[in-house]
Amino acid sequence: MTPPILSRKDMPFCPGCGHGIAVKNLAKALEEAGYDPLDAIIVSDIGCAGLVDSIFATHTIHGLHGRAPALALGVSLGLIDPDKKVIAIQGDGGATIGLQHLLEAARRNVDMTLIVLNNLLYGMTGGQMSGLSTQAFKAGHLIEDDTPPFDVVQLMHEAGAAFSCRITAPGEFKAHFIEALATSGFSLIEVACLCPSHGVKKLKELADVAMGDLKLAYERAPARAEYRETAPLFGLEKPVATANRSTIKERLGLVIAGSAGGGVQSAARLIANAGILSGLHVTMKGEYPITVGAGFSAAEVILSRKPIHYTGLESPDVVVAVTEDGMAKARSRKKEHTTLVLDSKLREEAFPNAIYGDFQKEGGKQGAALYAAAFWLVREGVLEIEALLEAARKHKHSEALVELIEKAGTVNSER
Amino acid sequence: MQLIDGSKIITEACVRAGADVYVGYPITPSNWFYAYAQKRFPLFLAGPDEISVLQWMSGFSAAGRLPVTATSFPGLALMVETLNMAHMMELPMAIIVTQRLGPSTGSATTGAQGDLLLLRGAISGGCPMPVFCPSNFEDCWNLAYESIQVAIRYRTPVVLLTSKEMVMTHKSFDVSALPEIKKVERETAKVELPYQSYRSGADGVPPFVPLGDETYQVRLNASTHGNLGLIQKGSAEAMANTRRLKDKLEKNIQSFTFYELDEEAGADELIVSYGISSDAARDAVTEIRRQGKKVSLLVIKTLLPVPPAILDILERYKKQVFVEENLPGLLRELIYGQARRKNIRSVNKIGSMIAPSEILNEFAV
């Protein structure tokens, strides 16, 4: 004989409240199914249904309005011993405000039982209507709202709950609870309840206003939490020593600008990596609108002899722009001393001293940015072509990148 | 050296420290955490919204796991009620907040330092919640570890307050200089019988026992409660329990006070900064000293609760300049309120990082 599930016989509810009957049925079901109190975790919501903690001898956790099913989901998937039973209890108000949580737990078929004590109204705040209040009930309360209620049993079934059931019949209904508790996966029981203070006061009237009994099953595997072993994102090994191969004196700030999908970010990252391989300190950051697949794409790279603290680039030394979108960036970033490296199609009189090249033609849509930047960096001796090639060889599309950089380097040697 | 970003460093440090569950909802500029967490955390779950995210995390924490998430203001705003719940239930967890330009949705891909006072006021009643703020990659590593460590040790949600530029900028960095992180072991609590979920020892922290324990009945509660974890309204025991939430952090704050103080002998002026503005302040200090002026620098890394050690340092300086990327000067307001103070100045800006030159302007003769 296991110890009793309830620690008290008196109920914390108003006399005649339907919640007491439901809670006693649940306790009997747990006892009959052989649960020790510490095998169960009661997750309670806010509202009258949330008063249950004190009468249970189980583990209890009392959370927020409408959130008990979400809290229970976390408990269930976090359990050190997954055989423990997680039972969430909420009212129809809680189910309304947190409907997303019910749907999500059912969709994932998380191993837990949810009991919705539906007294057709918000009891604690004065008897207001909830999303589960029926039309028949509302009509009797002079409420000018004939919107039909959510059928949570049907909804949970549609969302993927293994078991969902509504009880409106008075008396002992622990058999349904036993069935729900035995379910592997998400089970829901909605119990129509009396509310002697604001709602239906007689059992025989309940059947007239509540939605009818319903029981639905859906056989599918429950959610399981698999805690995996993973590899570190990086180790703490000493870095490989790099030779100093750059000609820059102190620091060089570079902006690369083009269009989304033009390889601007990966070009900047490659250049930053080549900078590291050349013994420099580097930073690299991207700038793009929130629609990453359209509009401009720009990136800043700083190459420096000394460690870099502030990573902003107030006054870039060189701005590379290969498309019209990029040109707009070039205009906004250019300072007096800035060198512009532009695709020849962007030729415009505002920049008489810009360096032009057929970058789009030679590098292609996705390669123009890297092609243009590599062309200028190698030409100026900022980076050796070998450092760029070494960085490119580590890339997943290394072949195309190596070819592009070699081509950009050849242009230089032909000049 | 390797090219690395703050999101990667923080994610790795959290897992090494013992965080085992990441629950996420994608939001710019926190998405890299989401991506790295998918690879690195023992368990990764995608929540349908930020309210669910923090509720799930609370469930995981109550069951004995150490959950982490990352979000930015719009997500944080949705989390505030559950943050209160986790604070009240005393559930360890870490929330990484990547600040971006507001108000509202603002600019998702522009950084900012605009959420400090939201965090200060997030807990109804004004109870403090530890907030750490990294100023560089070393801090990202160390404070991510401290977030997990402090969350477990003091049974509290901890916020790691970052900004877009801290977690989405790549830098060359020598990771071998970082200290090894030892997993924070969660010892099974030694408790006096009968066990009561909220009865605490001298340090003000009740021993943690997870839901589902075989020996002790665990009762956790988001409403005002007594030691047993059951609702109590207005009792002396319940009020003492509520006061303890504030006291447990304030009396232990020395163990998690972090800052960087670069003092120059004879300087009567102090630059105060935190987070993403700190590196500009470091550069500005170098330049100001090069010009022959004396100045000291304080970079605050434990923002909340405000450590007494920070106030002690501030009291030593007659003139102070607060450098932060927001309009009103939120740190300055946290320390001095809205009162006018002649010798407390601010360098503020929105839309992009404060540059060293903009701090220098404040020191120009």
Side-chain angles (χ1 to χ4, degrees):
Chain A
M1 188 65 188
T2 54
I5 291 293
L6 295 183
S7 52
R8 289 166 31 187
K9 288 231 162 63
D10 58 317
M11 291 286 134
F13 311 112
C14 304
C17 174
H19 292 6
I21 302 165
V23 166
K24 282 178 185 161
N25 271 279
L26 170 63
K28 274 191 213 161
L30 281 163
E31 283 163 6
E32 233 162 82
Y35 283 94
D36 183 271
L38 296 189
D39 288 340
I41 297 145
I42 301 285
V43 184
S44 61
D45 217 82
I46 294 292
C48 299
L51 298 172
V52 298
D53 288 48
S54 65
I55 56 175
F56 275 94
T58 62
H59 297 288
T60 60
I61 176 167
H62 177 67
L64 302 181
H65 187 47
R67 314 298 168 200
L71 183 58
L73 181 152
V75 174
S76 177
L77 296 179
L79 286 172
I80 308 293
D81 174 1
D83 288 337
K84 300 284 172 182
K85 196 74 206 175
V86 178
I87 302 160
I89 300 177
Q90 67 180 168
D92 47 311
T96 304
I97 193 176
L99 188 56
Q100 169 74 67
H101 304 312
L102 282 74
L103 292 167
E104 189 68 23
R107 181 171 82 90
R108 291 169 179 266
N109 204 22
V110 173
D111 198 7
M112 57 182 270
T113 297
L114 170 65
I115 295 163
V116 176
L117 301 178
N118 184 4
N119 58 11
L120 304 165
L121 48 73
Y122 294 86
M124 259 188 189
T125 49
Q128 299 88 346
M129 297 300 109
S130 80
L132 272 60
S133 303
T134 60
Q135 287 156 300
F137 179 69
K138 284 189 276 196
H141 276 70
L142 305 173
I143 307 288
E144 286 184 33
D145 171 10
D146 61 353
T147 317
F150 285 119
D151 182 339
V152 280
V153 174
Q154 195 72 49
L155 274 178
M156 291 308 104
H157 177 68
E158 293 290 331
F163 176 87
S164 46
C165 164
R166 179 164 43 241
I167 301 165
T168 52
E172 194 162 288
F173 38 80
K174 68 177 182 210
H176 298 295
F177 280 120
I178 291 174
E179 203 177 343
L181 294 169
T183 303
S184 175
F186 183 84
S187 55
L188 166 85
I189 292 198
E190 180 194 355
V191 185
C193 292
L194 300 175
C195 175
S197 299
H198 305 289
V200 181
K201 296 177 177 62
K202 289 179 185 157
L203 277 172
K204 60 179 179 188
E205 288 167 16
L206 196 56
D208 297 337
V209 294
M211 294 176 98
D213 285 6
L214 183 64
K215 184 152 55 167
L216 299 162
Y218 182 177
E219 214 166 295
R220 59 190 283 247
R224 289 266 175 256
E226 311 278 354
Y227 291 81
R228 7 156 243 180
E229 291 278 334
T230 60
L233 295 171
F234 56 89
L236 301 185
E237 299 84 23
K238 280 247 175 277
V240 183
T242 46
N244 180 7
R245 310 194 278 195
S246 170
T247 61
I248 67 168
K249 287 200 181 71
E250 279 187 21
R251 176 182 163 108
L252 181 118
L254 165 73
V255 173
I256 307 173
S259 300
V264 170
Q265 304 304 323
S266 62
R269 191 189 280 245
L270 191 149
I271 288 161
N273 274 313
I276 294 173
L277 292 169
S278 308
L280 298 171
H281 297 274
V282 309
T283 71
M284 178 259 155
K285 65 174 90 172
E287 189 193 340
Y288 29 83
I290 200 75
T291 48
V292 289
F296 74 92
S297 177
E300 297 179 4
V301 178
I302 300 173
L303 304 167
S304 169
R305 290 246 168 260
K306 286 193 223 155
I308 304 162
H309 292 133
Y310 170 66
T311 60
L313 190 51
E314 288 180 277
S315 165
D317 298 289
V318 55
V319 174
V320 175
V322 290
T323 65
E324 284 293 345
D325 289 328
M327 192 68 204
K329 268 282 140 199
R331 284 188 199 105
S332 70
R333 299 303 303 271
K334 187 188 180 310
K335 294 278 191 286
E336 219 166 89
H337 75 283
T338 306
T339 301
L340 289 174
V341 180
L342 306 176
D343 187 83
S344 35
K345 285 209 177 124
L346 301 172
R347 193 171 293 275
E348 62 173 65
E349 288 172 10
F351 307 128
N353 300 323
I355 297 162
Y356 291 93
D358 291 333
F359 307 125
Q360 283 285 352
K361 199 174 140 199
E362 297 295 332
K365 195 176 163 230
Q366 287 175 19
L370 177 61
Y371 186 87
F375 154 78
W376 187 84
L377 289 165
V378 173
R379 189 181 94 158
E380 298 299 314
V382 173
L383 295 174
E384 289 179 3
I385 191 163
E386 204 33 61
L388 288 165
L389 289 171
E390 200 180 327
R393 283 185 205 110
K394 291 176 183 164
H395 201 275
K396 61 180 173 195
H397 304 301
S398 62
E399 245 171 71
L401 294 176
V402 165
E403 197 182 315
L404 203 66
I405 293 163
E406 279 175 342
K407 199 167 160 189
T410 319
V411 178
N412 283 314
S413 60
E414 282 170 359
R415 285 173 69 98
Chain B
M1 300 280 242
Q2 62 175 287
L3 198 61
I4 199 165
D5 58 83
S7 302
K8 197 181 213 173
I9 294 172
I10 289 169
T11 306
E12 181 64 24
C14 285
V15 176
R16 287 188 186 216
D20 51 2
V21 180
Y22 186 97
V23 188
Y25 185 86
I27 183 166
T28 307
S30 265
N31 298 327
W32 292 5
F33 288 110
Y34 193 97
Y36 289 131
Q38 271 180 303
K39 283 189 203 154
R40 186 61 174 108
F41 271 74
L43 186 69
F44 175 93
L45 282 178
D49 58 77
E50 286 91 344
I51 295 175
S52 300
V53 164
L54 218 56
Q55 283 289 332
W56 294 7
M57 283 171 62
S58 300
F60 277 108
S61 181
R65 308 286 177 178
L66 202 296
V68 173
T69 192
T71 190
S72 60
F73 169 77
L76 176 63
L78 292 183
M79 288 177 178
V80 169
E81 189 191 20
T82 302
L83 200 55
N84 276 257
M85 183 190 86
H87 175 83
M88 190 68 154
M89 287 182 173
E90 301 184 68
L91 298 176
M93 63 178 68
I95 298 131
I96 302 160
V97 176
T98 309
Q99 295 171 103
R100 69 186 216 188
L101 181 64
S104 182
T105 327
S107 296
T109 53
T110 301
Q113 293 183 277
D115 299 335
L116 176 60
L117 291 190
L118 170 65
L119 292 169
R120 173 63 191 92
I123 305 298
S124 181
C127 281
M129 178 173 52
V131 175
F132 295 125
C133 184
S135 74
N136 55 28
F137 282 1
E138 287 85 350
D139 288 348
C140 284
W141 181 258
N142 294 326
L143 294 178
Y145 165 76
E146 291 295 346
S147 298
I148 303 300
Q149 202 262 120
V150 166
I152 290 172
R153 186 161 170 196
Y154 300 115
R155 281 191 64 171
T156 178
V158 172
V159 171
L160 188 63
L161 186 63
T162 71
S163 180
K164 183 253 176 181
E165 301 278 358
M166 184 61 68
V167 301
M168 287 188 75
T169 298
H170 293 85
K171 271 181 129 171
S172 50
F173 186 67
D174 179 4
V175 292
S176 71
L178 297 173
E180 289 283 352
I181 285 177
K182 253 180 79 181
K183 189 180 168 199
V184 183
E185 292 298 341
R186 300 183 73 172
E187 292 151 28
T188 312
K190 285 183 195 132
V191 301
E192 286 174 45
L193 290 175
Y195 172 69
Q196 295 186 323
S197 296
Y198 292 108
R199 185 164 61 177
S200 69
D203 62 353
V205 186
F208 181 84
V209 177
L211 288 174
D213 190 77
E214 289 290 341
T215 313
Y216 306 119
Q217 182 195 19
V218 177
R219 290 187 183 277
L220 301 172
N221 208 317
S223 298
T224 306
H225 51 264
N227 289 344
L228 206 54
L230 290 175
I231 292 181
Q232 274 186 16
K233 188 172 171 295
S235 74
E237 185 183 311
M239 290 305 104
N241 223 329
T242 301
R243 266 195 295 274
R244 184 178 53 73
L245 295 173
K246 175 172 178 286
D247 295 345
K248 75 171 177 184
L249 293 173
E250 290 184 351
K251 80 164 150 197
N252 292 303
I253 189 154
Q254 263 189 310
S255 73
F256 57 96
T257 295
F258 303 105
Y259 60 87
E260 169 188 317
L261 180 61
D262 174 5
E263 286 202 293
E264 185 168 32
D268 67 350
E269 194 148 19
L270 179 71
I271 294 180
V272 185
S273 195
Y274 63 103
I276 195 63
S277 299
S278 310
D279 267 333
R282 290 182 181 111
D283 283 348
V285 163
T286 305
E287 180 57 23
I288 292 163
R289 288 175 183 167
R290 201 189 58 78
Q291 293 174 8
K293 289 174 223 159
K294 289 184 190 303
V295 69
S296 294
L297 172 68
L298 174 63
V299 174
I300 305 179
K301 300 177 185 181
T302 302
L303 289 173
L304 292 168
V306 178
I310 296 294
L311 299 175
D312 291 344
I313 294 165
L314 292 174
E315 277 169 17
R316 297 208 296 266
Y317 285 87
K318 259 193 253 163
K319 292 193 251 172
Q320 296 164 19
V321 179
F322 283 72
V323 179
E324 47 187 321
E325 194 181 326
N326 55 54
L327 283 178
L330 301 180
L331 177 65
R332 173 189 154 138
E333 217 173 295
L334 175 72
I335 306 279
Y336 295 110
Q338 311 229 358
R340 294 189 195 92
R341 284 179 186 249
K342 207 170 66 187
N343 290 318
I344 312 294
R345 288 146 37 228
S346 283
V347 177
N348 299 117
K349 184 186 186 184
I350 54 167
S352 63
M353 286 195 294
I354 293 168
S357 60
E358 289 161 322
I359 304 170
L360 290 173
N361 288 343
E362 196 58 37
F363 286 79
V365 181

